[in-house]
Amino acid sequence: MLSVLTVNLGAAARPRAEAMLGWLAARPEQVLLLTETSAGPGTAYLLERFREAGHAVIKTPDEGERGAAIVSCVKVLEESSAKLSNVTVPGRVAACLLDCEPRVFAVAVYVPSRDRSQSKTTRKQQFITSFQTALASLPQEAAANVLVGGDYNVISRDHEPRHRGFLPFEYGLLETLESTGYVDTYTRLHPDEQAHSWIGRTGDGYRYDYFHAGPALADRVTDCRYLHETRDSKLTDHAALTVTLDVVPNLLPTTDPATSGALF
């Protein structure tokens, strides 16, 4: 079985990154899709500790942007971020081909947030459009076996509670994924549940974090759940999301990143 976890790091500074490392190191998932990474010392510390412990780390240069990364103790056959390099903010996407049977094309994505300003609205819309185009341009085998995960910063049109202010292009991200054959893994297993992964200041919940599986992987999804302990313990303001697939991974010989390697 292959288990994958996605969590928003919230651009963690070094002390919170150390706490997050301890939590991640204790988790059973073999692959981590990390979002809202940053150019600061917290993200650098976290990723370097995983590298020192023998994990493969995929981090697209972010040029000071908040971004995305993949940490894997499954052998990586190919660092594939270049296949999605035409997105408008390349540092917000990381991708790789995992050595599994069948192979899994993993994609971590951190969609930009926005406020009411036209500039940030345009930036988010352009990113979503370019990301959809990049996915549509993937080779057939990669697209069929893709696992996309991360913080999409959108909700569905029928989300409960309803939230005013979301625009058609934001609803369109989820709708386009569905219409092109990608399966929302949580909804596939829990069709009658409205999950929330982020709670606003008013106490209203939003579902921002997702996994979507390509057509060849959809029937291999055996488990998917939100882990609210990351919010409850203030490691981040997002719940983590974990998914399990009935595929066989080829694991690397790794050690515990929380206890191995030199501190810096």
mmCIF file of all heavy atoms in Angstrom, residues 123-139:
data_model
loop_
_atom_site.group_PDB
_atom_site.id
_atom_site.type_symbol
_atom_site.label_atom_id
_atom_site.label_comp_id
_atom_site.label_asym_id
_atom_site.label_seq_id
_atom_site.Cartn_x
_atom_site.Cartn_y
_atom_site.Cartn_z
ATOM 1 N N ARG A 123 -4.212 37.257 -10.603
ATOM 2 C CA ARG A 123 -3.086 36.343 -10.380
ATOM 3 C C ARG A 123 -3.584 34.929 -10.082
ATOM 4 O O ARG A 123 -3.070 33.951 -10.634
ATOM 5 C CB ARG A 123 -2.240 36.865 -9.217
ATOM 6 C CG ARG A 123 -1.011 36.048 -8.885
ATOM 7 C CD ARG A 123 -0.222 36.790 -7.815
ATOM 8 N NE ARG A 123 1.044 36.142 -7.550
ATOM 9 C CZ ARG A 123 1.274 35.297 -6.541
ATOM 10 N NH1 ARG A 123 0.277 34.996 -5.705
ATOM 11 N NH2 ARG A 123 2.454 34.766 -6.356
ATOM 12 N N LYS A 124 -4.588 34.813 -9.229
ATOM 13 C CA LYS A 124 -5.124 33.499 -8.886
ATOM 14 C C LYS A 124 -5.795 32.857 -10.089
ATOM 15 O O LYS A 124 -5.609 31.668 -10.366
ATOM 16 C CB LYS A 124 -6.107 33.613 -7.729
ATOM 17 C CG LYS A 124 -6.651 32.275 -7.233
ATOM 18 C CD LYS A 124 -7.539 32.455 -6.009
ATOM 19 C CE LYS A 124 -7.981 31.109 -5.440
ATOM 20 N NZ LYS A 124 -8.823 31.264 -4.226
ATOM 21 N N GLN A 125 -6.583 33.635 -10.831
ATOM 22 C CA GLN A 125 -7.276 33.093 -11.994
ATOM 23 C C GLN A 125 -6.275 32.617 -13.043
ATOM 24 O O GLN A 125 -6.445 31.538 -13.628
ATOM 25 C CB GLN A 125 -8.210 34.139 -12.587
ATOM 26 C CG GLN A 125 -9.032 33.614 -13.761
ATOM 27 C CD GLN A 125 -10.106 34.582 -14.209
ATOM 28 O OE1 GLN A 125 -10.071 35.771 -13.860
ATOM 29 N NE2 GLN A 125 -11.078 34.101 -14.961
ATOM 30 N N GLN A 126 -5.232 33.380 -13.286
ATOM 31 C CA GLN A 126 -4.234 32.983 -14.273
ATOM 32 C C GLN A 126 -3.506 31.713 -13.839
ATOM 33 O O GLN A 126 -3.218 30.840 -14.668
ATOM 34 C CB GLN A 126 -3.240 34.130 -14.498
ATOM 35 C CG GLN A 126 -3.833 35.313 -15.237
ATOM 36 C CD GLN A 126 -2.862 36.481 -15.359
ATOM 37 O OE1 GLN A 126 -1.882 36.577 -14.612
ATOM 38 N NE2 GLN A 126 -3.129 37.367 -16.304
ATOM 39 N N PHE A 127 -3.222 31.603 -12.542
ATOM 40 C CA PHE A 127 -2.564 30.391 -12.061
ATOM 41 C C PHE A 127 -3.457 29.173 -12.264
ATOM 42 O O PHE A 127 -3.013 28.137 -12.767
ATOM 43 C CB PHE A 127 -2.193 30.525 -10.579
ATOM 44 C CG PHE A 127 -1.538 29.290 -10.030
ATOM 45 C CD1 PHE A 127 -0.161 29.130 -10.083
ATOM 46 C CD2 PHE A 127 -2.294 28.259 -9.487
ATOM 47 C CE1 PHE A 127 0.446 27.975 -9.599
ATOM 48 C CE2 PHE A 127 -1.701 27.102 -9.001
ATOM 49 C CZ PHE A 127 -0.325 26.961 -9.057
ATOM 50 N N ILE A 128 -4.721 29.263 -11.861
ATOM 51 C CA ILE A 128 -5.640 28.133 -11.997
ATOM 52 C C ILE A 128 -5.788 27.731 -13.458
ATOM 53 O O ILE A 128 -5.737 26.538 -13.795
ATOM 54 C CB ILE A 128 -7.004 28.471 -11.364
ATOM 55 C CG1 ILE A 128 -6.877 28.460 -9.832
ATOM 56 C CG2 ILE A 128 -8.082 27.488 -11.819
ATOM 57 C CD1 ILE A 128 -8.135 28.886 -9.095
ATOM 58 N N THR A 129 -5.947 28.712 -14.344
ATOM 59 C CA THR A 129 -6.078 28.405 -15.772
ATOM 60 C C THR A 129 -4.831 27.709 -16.298
ATOM 61 O O THR A 129 -4.911 26.705 -17.027
ATOM 62 C CB THR A 129 -6.338 29.690 -16.565
ATOM 63 O OG1 THR A 129 -7.566 30.282 -16.127
ATOM 64 C CG2 THR A 129 -6.432 29.406 -18.058
ATOM 65 N N SER A 130 -3.671 28.213 -15.904
ATOM 66 C CA SER A 130 -2.422 27.619 -16.395
ATOM 67 C C SER A 130 -2.204 26.229 -15.809
ATOM 68 O O SER A 130 -1.668 25.339 -16.483
ATOM 69 C CB SER A 130 -1.238 28.530 -16.062
ATOM 70 O OG SER A 130 -1.002 28.605 -14.666
ATOM 71 N N PHE A 131 -2.636 26.010 -14.571
ATOM 72 C CA PHE A 131 -2.491 24.688 -13.950
ATOM 73 C C PHE A 131 -3.403 23.680 -14.646
ATOM 74 O O PHE A 131 -2.994 22.546 -14.933
ATOM 75 C CB PHE A 131 -2.810 24.781 -12.464
ATOM 76 C CG PHE A 131 -2.650 23.480 -11.717
ATOM 77 C CD1 PHE A 131 -1.415 22.859 -11.649
ATOM 78 C CD2 PHE A 131 -3.732 22.892 -11.089
ATOM 79 C CE1 PHE A 131 -1.252 21.664 -10.956
ATOM 80 C CE2 PHE A 131 -3.586 21.693 -10.393
ATOM 81 C CZ PHE A 131 -2.344 21.076 -10.331
ATOM 82 N N GLN A 132 -4.624 24.086 -14.939
ATOM 83 C CA GLN A 132 -5.539 23.208 -15.665
ATOM 84 C C GLN A 132 -4.968 22.853 -17.037
ATOM 85 O O GLN A 132 -5.039 21.692 -17.477
ATOM 86 C CB GLN A 132 -6.903 23.889 -15.812
ATOM 87 C CG GLN A 132 -7.650 24.050 -14.497
ATOM 88 C CD GLN A 132 -8.851 24.968 -14.629
ATOM 89 O OE1 GLN A 132 -8.873 25.882 -15.448
ATOM 90 N NE2 GLN A 132 -9.862 24.742 -13.807
ATOM 91 N N THR A 133 -4.400 23.832 -17.710
ATOM 92 C CA THR A 133 -3.799 23.592 -19.035
ATOM 93 C C THR A 133 -2.616 22.645 -18.927
ATOM 94 O O THR A 133 -2.443 21.743 -19.766
ATOM 95 C CB THR A 133 -3.358 24.923 -19.660
ATOM 96 O OG1 THR A 133 -4.502 25.785 -19.807
ATOM 97 C CG2 THR A 133 -2.719 24.704 -21.025
ATOM 98 N N ALA A 134 -1.796 22.820 -17.886
ATOM 99 C CA ALA A 134 -0.630 21.961 -17.705
ATOM 100 C C ALA A 134 -1.044 20.513 -17.444
ATOM 101 O O ALA A 134 -0.458 19.579 -18.005
ATOM 102 C CB ALA A 134 0.228 22.480 -16.553
ATOM 103 N N LEU A 135 -2.069 20.303 -16.622
ATOM 104 C CA LEU A 135 -2.550 18.943 -16.376
ATOM 105 C C LEU A 135 -3.091 18.324 -17.665
ATOM 106 O O LEU A 135 -2.860 17.142 -17.946
ATOM 107 C CB LEU A 135 -3.635 18.946 -15.308
ATOM 108 C CG LEU A 135 -3.209 19.196 -13.856
ATOM 109 C CD1 LEU A 135 -4.428 19.183 -12.940
ATOM 110 C CD2 LEU A 135 -2.190 18.157 -13.388
ATOM 111 N N ALA A 136 -3.818 19.128 -18.448
ATOM 112 C CA ALA A 136 -4.386 18.620 -19.695
ATOM 113 C C ALA A 136 -3.303 18.261 -20.708
ATOM 114 O O ALA A 136 -3.559 17.476 -21.630
ATOM 115 C CB ALA A 136 -5.333 19.653 -20.293
ATOM 116 N N SER A 137 -2.104 18.813 -20.536
ATOM 117 C CA SER A 137 -1.014 18.568 -21.476
ATOM 118 C C SER A 137 -0.119 17.408 -21.070
ATOM 119 O O SER A 137 0.829 17.080 -21.785
ATOM 120 C CB SER A 137 -0.156 19.839 -21.619
ATOM 121 O OG SER A 137 -0.937 20.922 -22.074
ATOM 122 N N LEU A 138 -0.393 16.783 -19.929
ATOM 123 C CA LEU A 138 0.432 15.668 -19.474
ATOM 124 C C LEU A 138 0.314 14.493 -20.442
ATOM 125 O O LEU A 138 -0.740 14.273 -21.042
ATOM 126 C CB LEU A 138 -0.008 15.214 -18.081
ATOM 127 C CG LEU A 138 0.334 16.117 -16.898
ATOM 128 C CD1 LEU A 138 -0.293 15.563 -15.619
ATOM 129 C CD2 LEU A 138 1.850 16.255 -16.738
ATOM 130 N N PRO A 139 1.381 13.703 -20.575
ATOM 131 C CA PRO A 139 1.271 12.463 -21.358
ATOM 132 C C PRO A 139 0.168 11.578 -20.793
ATOM 133 O O PRO A 139 -0.136 11.625 -19.596
ATOM 134 C CB PRO A 139 2.654 11.822 -21.177
ATOM 135 C CG PRO A 139 3.564 12.955 -20.826
ATOM 136 C CD PRO A 139 2.732 13.926 -20.051
#
